[in-house]
């Protein structure tokens, strides 16, 4: 059974991701697309990383009063998630 990694982003979003999701090759492909500047891959990255329900909660957590989810905030928080995962895997 896959181990779950739990953490909290700088803005306070609590997440839980299975190691199985992190070892998904398709996630790696999409992250490569994001690195190459394809921002359209973000929605798929969120769904593969978090699953539908947690991805929605993540976006809702970042949603501002006017209903907008700023892409810069989303990218920053997503980077924090991956940094947290890296640190937790080392320990």
């Amino acid at each position: 059974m896959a181990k779950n990694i739990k953490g909290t982003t700088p803005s306070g979003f609590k997440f839980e991701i299975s190691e199985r999701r992190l070892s998904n090759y398709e996630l790696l492909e999409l992250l490569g697309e994001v690195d190459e500047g394809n921002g359209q891959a973000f929605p798929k990255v969120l769904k593969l990383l978090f699953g539908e329900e947690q991805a929605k909660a993540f976006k809702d957590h970042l949603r501002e009063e006017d209903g907008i989810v700023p892409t810069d905030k989303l990218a920053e928080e997503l980077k924090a998630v991956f940094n947290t995962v890296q640190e937790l895997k080392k320990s």
Side-chain angles (χ1 to χ4, degrees), residues 7-58:
T8 305
T9 67
S11 71
F13 180 74
K14 294 179 191 287
F15 63 88
E16 184 172 347
I17 304 168
S18 75
E19 285 186 341
R20 183 135 171 87
R21 282 190 179 275
L22 291 168
S23 65
N24 183 349
Y25 179 76
E26 290 178 329
L27 176 62
L28 182 64
E29 284 181 321
L30 288 171
L31 289 171
E33 287 185 33
V34 169
D35 278 348
E36 292 172 358
N38 181 2
Q40 293 177 339
F42 268 120
K44 291 178 183 176
V45 167
L46 291 180
K47 288 177 186 172
L48 285 179
L49 181 64
F50 291 126
E52 291 277 341
E53 190 175 311
Q54 194 171 198
K56 183 182 179 324
F58 182 66

